[in-house]
Short mmCIF file of all heavy atoms in Angstrom, two decimals:
data_model
loop_
_atom_site.label_atom_id
_atom_site.label_comp_id
_atom_site.label_asym_id
_atom_site.label_seq_id
_atom_site.Cartn_x
_atom_site.Cartn_y
_atom_site.Cartn_z
N VAL A 108 -0.08 5.07 -34.77
CA VAL A 108 -0.36 3.99 -35.72
C VAL A 108 0.95 3.59 -36.38
O VAL A 108 1.65 4.45 -36.92
CB VAL A 108 -1.38 4.45 -36.77
CG1 VAL A 108 -1.69 3.32 -37.75
CG2 VAL A 108 -2.64 4.94 -36.09
N PRO A 109 1.36 2.36 -36.35
CA PRO A 109 2.65 1.97 -36.94
C PRO A 109 2.63 2.16 -38.45
O PRO A 109 1.66 1.81 -39.12
CB PRO A 109 2.78 0.50 -36.55
CG PRO A 109 1.39 0.04 -36.26
CD PRO A 109 0.66 1.23 -35.72
N GLY A 110 3.71 2.73 -38.99
CA GLY A 110 3.84 2.96 -40.42
C GLY A 110 5.06 2.30 -40.98
O GLY A 110 5.61 1.37 -40.40
N PRO A 111 5.56 2.78 -42.16
CA PRO A 111 6.73 2.16 -42.78
C PRO A 111 7.99 2.25 -41.92
O PRO A 111 8.77 1.32 -41.86
CB PRO A 111 6.89 2.95 -44.09
CG PRO A 111 5.52 3.51 -44.37
CD PRO A 111 4.92 3.78 -43.04
N GLY A 112 8.15 3.43 -41.25
CA GLY A 112 9.32 3.55 -40.39
C GLY A 112 9.29 2.56 -39.24
O GLY A 112 10.33 2.15 -38.73
N TYR A 113 8.11 2.21 -38.86
CA TYR A 113 7.95 1.24 -37.78
C TYR A 113 8.51 -0.12 -38.22
O TYR A 113 9.18 -0.82 -37.46
CB TYR A 113 6.47 1.13 -37.45
CG TYR A 113 6.16 0.51 -36.12
CD1 TYR A 113 6.27 1.28 -34.96
CD2 TYR A 113 5.74 -0.81 -36.02
CE1 TYR A 113 5.97 0.72 -33.74
CE2 TYR A 113 5.44 -1.36 -34.79
CZ TYR A 113 5.55 -0.60 -33.66
OH TYR A 113 5.26 -1.13 -32.42
N LEU A 114 8.22 -0.51 -39.49
CA LEU A 114 8.72 -1.76 -40.01
C LEU A 114 10.22 -1.70 -40.23
O LEU A 114 10.95 -2.68 -39.99
CB LEU A 114 8.00 -2.11 -41.33
CG LEU A 114 6.49 -2.35 -41.23
CD1 LEU A 114 5.91 -2.57 -42.62
CD2 LEU A 114 6.20 -3.55 -40.34
N ALA A 115 10.73 -0.52 -40.66
CA ALA A 115 12.16 -0.37 -40.90
C ALA A 115 12.96 -0.52 -39.62
O ALA A 115 14.11 -0.94 -39.63
CB ALA A 115 12.45 0.98 -41.56
N ALA A 116 12.37 -0.15 -38.49
CA ALA A 116 13.07 -0.27 -37.20
C ALA A 116 13.07 -1.70 -36.67
O ALA A 116 13.61 -1.96 -35.61
CB ALA A 116 12.44 0.66 -36.17
N GLY A 117 12.43 -2.58 -37.40
CA GLY A 117 12.46 -3.98 -36.97
C GLY A 117 11.24 -4.40 -36.17
O GLY A 117 11.23 -5.48 -35.61
N TRP A 118 10.22 -3.54 -36.12
CA TRP A 118 9.03 -3.89 -35.36
C TRP A 118 7.99 -4.54 -36.28
O TRP A 118 7.85 -4.20 -37.44
CB TRP A 118 8.41 -2.66 -34.71
CG TRP A 118 9.22 -2.14 -33.59
CD1 TRP A 118 10.25 -1.26 -33.66
CD2 TRP A 118 9.09 -2.47 -32.23
NE1 TRP A 118 10.79 -1.02 -32.42
CE2 TRP A 118 10.08 -1.75 -31.52
CE3 TRP A 118 8.25 -3.31 -31.51
CZ2 TRP A 118 10.24 -1.86 -30.15
CZ3 TRP A 118 8.40 -3.40 -30.14
CH2 TRP A 118 9.38 -2.69 -29.49
N ALA A 119 7.25 -5.43 -35.72
CA ALA A 119 6.17 -6.07 -36.46
C ALA A 119 4.85 -5.38 -36.14
O ALA A 119 4.58 -5.01 -34.99
CB ALA A 119 6.08 -7.55 -36.10
N VAL A 120 4.04 -5.18 -37.16
CA VAL A 120 2.76 -4.51 -36.97
C VAL A 120 1.79 -5.50 -36.35
O VAL A 120 1.58 -6.61 -36.86
CB VAL A 120 2.21 -4.02 -38.32
CG1 VAL A 120 0.87 -3.31 -38.12
CG2 VAL A 120 3.21 -3.10 -38.97
N PRO A 121 1.21 -5.17 -35.19
CA PRO A 121 0.29 -6.11 -34.55
C PRO A 121 -0.97 -6.31 -35.38
O PRO A 121 -1.51 -5.37 -35.95
CB PRO A 121 -0.02 -5.44 -33.21
CG PRO A 121 0.25 -3.99 -33.45
CD PRO A 121 1.36 -3.92 -34.43
N GLY A 122 -1.40 -7.54 -35.46
CA GLY A 122 -2.59 -7.87 -36.23
C GLY A 122 -3.78 -8.14 -35.35
O GLY A 122 -3.79 -7.83 -34.15
N PRO A 123 -4.83 -8.71 -35.94
CA PRO A 123 -6.05 -8.98 -35.16
C PRO A 123 -5.80 -9.90 -33.96
O PRO A 123 -6.41 -9.74 -32.92
CB PRO A 123 -6.98 -9.63 -36.19
CG PRO A 123 -6.46 -9.19 -37.52
CD PRO A 123 -4.99 -9.06 -37.37
N GLY A 124 -4.83 -10.83 -34.14
CA GLY A 124 -4.57 -11.73 -33.01
C GLY A 124 -4.02 -10.98 -31.81
O GLY A 124 -4.31 -11.30 -30.66
N CYS A 125 -3.17 -9.96 -32.07
CA CYS A 125 -2.62 -9.17 -30.96
C CYS A 125 -3.70 -8.36 -30.27
O CYS A 125 -3.73 -8.22 -29.05
CB CYS A 125 -1.51 -8.25 -31.47
SG CYS A 125 -0.04 -9.14 -32.02
N LEU A 126 -4.61 -7.78 -31.10
CA LEU A 126 -5.67 -6.99 -30.51
C LEU A 126 -6.62 -7.87 -29.70
O LEU A 126 -7.08 -7.47 -28.63
CB LEU A 126 -6.45 -6.26 -31.61
CG LEU A 126 -5.65 -5.20 -32.41
CD1 LEU A 126 -6.53 -4.63 -33.52
CD2 LEU A 126 -5.18 -4.11 -31.47
N ALA A 127 -6.87 -9.05 -30.21
CA ALA A 127 -7.76 -9.95 -29.47
C ALA A 127 -7.13 -10.36 -28.15
O ALA A 127 -7.84 -10.63 -27.18
CB ALA A 127 -8.07 -11.19 -30.33
N ALA A 128 -5.79 -10.41 -28.12
CA ALA A 128 -5.11 -10.80 -26.88
C ALA A 128 -4.98 -9.64 -25.90
O ALA A 128 -4.51 -9.81 -24.79
CB ALA A 128 -3.73 -11.35 -27.19
N GLY A 129 -5.37 -8.43 -26.38
CA GLY A 129 -5.34 -7.28 -25.47
C GLY A 129 -4.04 -6.52 -25.48
O GLY A 129 -3.74 -5.80 -24.53
N TRP A 130 -3.21 -6.66 -26.55
CA TRP A 130 -1.94 -5.94 -26.59
C TRP A 130 -2.15 -4.61 -27.31
O TRP A 130 -2.95 -4.49 -28.24
CB TRP A 130 -0.87 -6.74 -27.31
CG TRP A 130 -0.46 -7.95 -26.55
CD1 TRP A 130 -0.99 -9.19 -26.62
CD2 TRP A 130 0.55 -8.01 -25.56
NE1 TRP A 130 -0.38 -10.04 -25.74
CE2 TRP A 130 0.58 -9.35 -25.07
CE3 TRP A 130 1.46 -7.10 -25.02
CZ2 TRP A 130 1.45 -9.78 -24.09
CZ3 TRP A 130 2.34 -7.53 -24.05
CH2 TRP A 130 2.33 -8.84 -23.60
N ALA A 131 -1.38 -3.62 -26.90
CA ALA A 131 -1.47 -2.29 -27.50
C ALA A 131 -0.09 -1.83 -27.94
O ALA A 131 0.92 -2.25 -27.39
CB ALA A 131 -2.06 -1.28 -26.52
N VAL A 132 -0.04 -0.93 -28.92
CA VAL A 132 1.23 -0.41 -29.43
C VAL A 132 1.53 0.92 -28.76
O VAL A 132 0.72 1.83 -28.82
CB VAL A 132 1.16 -0.23 -30.96
CG1 VAL A 132 2.50 0.25 -31.50
CG2 VAL A 132 0.74 -1.53 -31.62
N PRO A 133 2.65 1.10 -28.10
CA PRO A 133 2.96 2.37 -27.43
C PRO A 133 3.24 3.47 -28.44
O PRO A 133 3.87 3.23 -29.47
CB PRO A 133 4.21 2.04 -26.61
CG PRO A 133 4.83 0.88 -27.30
CD PRO A 133 3.70 0.09 -27.90
N GLY A 134 2.78 4.66 -28.14
CA GLY A 134 2.97 5.79 -29.04
C GLY A 134 3.48 7.01 -28.30
O GLY A 134 4.00 6.92 -27.19
N PRO A 135 3.35 8.24 -28.90
CA PRO A 135 3.87 9.46 -28.27
C PRO A 135 3.27 9.73 -26.91
O PRO A 135 3.91 10.30 -26.04
CB PRO A 135 3.50 10.55 -29.28
CG PRO A 135 3.33 9.83 -30.58
CD PRO A 135 2.80 8.48 -30.23
N GLY A 136 2.03 9.33 -26.71
CA GLY A 136 1.43 9.57 -25.41
C GLY A 136 2.15 8.83 -24.30
O GLY A 136 2.22 9.28 -23.17
N CYS A 137 2.70 7.65 -24.66
CA CYS A 137 3.46 6.90 -23.66
C CYS A 137 4.75 7.64 -23.30
O CYS A 137 5.17 7.68 -22.15
CB CYS A 137 3.80 5.50 -24.18
SG CYS A 137 2.34 4.43 -24.32
N LEU A 138 5.39 8.23 -24.36
CA LEU A 138 6.62 8.97 -24.08
C LEU A 138 6.34 10.20 -23.23
O LEU A 138 7.11 10.56 -22.34
CB LEU A 138 7.28 9.38 -25.40
CG LEU A 138 7.75 8.22 -26.30
CD1 LEU A 138 8.30 8.76 -27.62
CD2 LEU A 138 8.80 7.39 -25.58
N ALA A 139 5.23 10.87 -23.49
CA ALA A 139 4.89 12.05 -22.69
C ALA A 139 4.64 11.69 -21.24
O ALA A 139 4.86 12.50 -20.34
CB ALA A 139 3.65 12.74 -23.29
N ALA A 140 4.16 10.48 -21.00
CA ALA A 140 3.91 10.06 -19.63
C ALA A 140 5.15 9.56 -18.92
O ALA A 140 5.09 9.15 -17.77
CB ALA A 140 2.85 8.96 -19.62
N GLY A 141 6.29 9.58 -19.63
CA GLY A 141 7.53 9.15 -18.99
C GLY A 141 7.88 7.70 -19.23
O GLY A 141 8.81 7.19 -18.65
N TRP A 142 7.14 7.04 -20.15
CA TRP A 142 7.43 5.64 -20.44
C TRP A 142 8.37 5.56 -21.63
O TRP A 142 8.29 6.34 -22.57
CB TRP A 142 6.15 4.86 -20.75
CG TRP A 142 5.27 4.72 -19.58
CD1 TRP A 142 4.33 5.60 -19.13
CD2 TRP A 142 5.25 3.65 -18.65
NE1 TRP A 142 3.73 5.15 -18.00
CE2 TRP A 142 4.26 3.94 -17.69
CE3 TRP A 142 5.96 2.45 -18.54
CZ2 TRP A 142 3.99 3.09 -16.63
CZ3 TRP A 142 5.67 1.59 -17.49
CH2 TRP A 142 4.70 1.92 -16.55
N ALA A 143 9.25 4.61 -21.62
CA ALA A 143 10.19 4.39 -22.72
C ALA A 143 9.65 3.29 -23.62
O ALA A 143 9.15 2.28 -23.15
CB ALA A 143 11.56 4.00 -22.20
N VAL A 144 9.76 3.52 -24.94
CA VAL A 144 9.29 2.53 -25.90
C VAL A 144 10.37 1.48 -26.07
O VAL A 144 11.50 1.80 -26.44
CB VAL A 144 8.97 3.20 -27.24
CG1 VAL A 144 8.45 2.18 -28.24
CG2 VAL A 144 7.96 4.31 -27.03
N PRO A 145 10.10 0.21 -25.81
CA PRO A 145 11.13 -0.82 -25.95
C PRO A 145 11.53 -1.02 -27.39
O PRO A 145 10.70 -0.93 -28.30
CB PRO A 145 10.45 -2.08 -25.38
CG PRO A 145 8.99 -1.81 -25.51
CD PRO A 145 8.82 -0.33 -25.36
#
Side-chain angles (χ1 to χ4, degrees):
V108 181
Y113 198 79
L114 297 175
W118 289 87
V120 181
C125 292
L126 295 177
W130 292 90
V132 182
C137 291
L138 297 176
W142 292 86
V144 182

